[in-house]
Amino acid sequence: MFAILVLAVAWLMSRLTTGGMRRLLQRRALPPLLREVLARVSGVAVMIVGLYIVFRVAGLTTVAMSVVGGTGLIGIVLGIAFREISENFL
């Protein structure tokens, strides 16, 4: 029951973070696509922290570490994949 409550709070915080980032980035002179990507990434990060907490509380430390490691690995892969696009953008 506690895990469901934590997931619900994490989802709500994720939605609030995404909306807050959209409003915060609205003031910046950024392309709309970049603003949306940054806002969603911040929301996903909050949701991943919520999942990590649920797994740690449930005693599934191995799964929790896999989630953290998997997100790190995905970040590296996406960084390498979008490196050239980012260089061209800058």
Side-chain angles (χ1 to χ4, degrees):
M1 200 62 165
F2 181 69
I4 293 172
L5 178 67
V6 170
L7 279 178
V9 169
W11 179 77
L12 179 64
M13 292 301 296
S14 172
R15 300 282 295 184
L16 291 174
T17 302
T18 302
M21 285 298 291
R22 281 186 185 126
R23 283 189 299 278
L24 181 71
L25 293 172
Q26 196 70 20
R27 301 179 198 150
R28 309 276 181 186
L30 296 173
L33 179 62
L34 184 58
R35 283 194 305 253
E36 185 65 25
V37 167
L38 290 174
R40 288 188 184 216
V41 164
S42 65
V44 168
V46 170
M47 192 64 190
I48 288 172
V49 169
L51 280 173
Y52 178 76
I53 291 170
V54 166
F55 288 138
R56 290 290 290 193
V57 168
L60 300 172
T61 56
T62 307
V63 175
M65 295 313 262
S66 297
V67 168
V68 171
T71 56
L73 183 62
I74 290 171
I76 290 171
V77 168
L78 288 175
I80 292 170
F82 290 109
R83 183 185 58 125
E84 189 172 321
I85 294 170
S86 300
E87 288 174 355
N88 290 337
F89 180 72
L90 293 175

